[in-house]
Each structure stands twice: as structure tokens, then as C-alpha cells.
Amino acid sequence: MSRSKKGQAEHDREGRKVANEYLKKGYKVLADLPNQEQPDTVKGVRPDLSVKKKGHETLIEIETPESVESARDEKQKKAFKQWSEKSEHRHFKRIITEE
């Protein structure tokens, strides 16, 4: 299921907010947002954000209430969880927006 325009706007707004928070903390940030350097795909799916600092990398996936538990969400969770389990320096974080 794809997001509504309102849901996509909220998703992108939250993505920019989280990306800026990590940038302020000195992380290298790749974001699946317009005019941004894109993160690499993992098992065919692209995370919303990839943040790196001091040898650690965290993939961040942002979901809106309308996209939680969708088939795409389940595929992403599985791929990113498996990716993160391959090294103690890899992490996966999921953020669910309020609206």
C-alpha cells in the first residue's frame, strides 16, 4: 500500500527532522529524500536513512500509521534486522510518526 500525499509529506518531514538531528551530532547521513545522497539498498530495499559515525552504522526506517505492518514494512523490517545482526557495529531503528 502506498502512502497518501499527506502521509508521504509527514514521512518526509520526519525524515528531514531525524537526518538533521544526526547531522548536528556529527554523523554522516544518507537519506532517501529528494536532493539527498541515497543510502544503498539492503536485500533490494532502501532504508529511509543511513547514519554513520566512528565505525557504526544505523539504518533508520520511518513509518506512518498508514504504512505500519504493510507488506513493504514487513519486508523492510526483515531485511534491515538481518543486516544489523551481521555485526555489532550495525544497528536498525524504526520510527513511527504520530500522524
Side-chain angles (χ1 to χ4, degrees), residues 16-73:
R16 284 189 294 277
K17 179 182 137 200
V18 173
N20 285 331
E21 289 170 2
Y22 278 94
L23 283 167
K24 287 177 186 173
K25 295 176 186 176
Y27 285 78
K28 175 175 174 54
V29 176
L30 304 179
D32 188 15
L33 292 166
N35 304 313
Q36 299 289 316
E37 186 179 350
Q38 305 278 303
D40 291 333
T41 59
V42 174
K43 296 189 179 230
V45 289
R46 189 178 312 279
D48 290 318
L49 300 167
S50 168
V51 299
K52 300 177 186 178
K53 186 176 178 181
K54 296 183 181 176
H56 285 263
E57 180 175 8
T58 301
L59 299 184
I60 301 170
E61 190 57 33
I62 298 166
E63 296 299 336
T64 59
E66 66 189 12
S67 65
V68 170
E69 308 306 328
S70 66
R72 184 168 190 261
D73 179 32

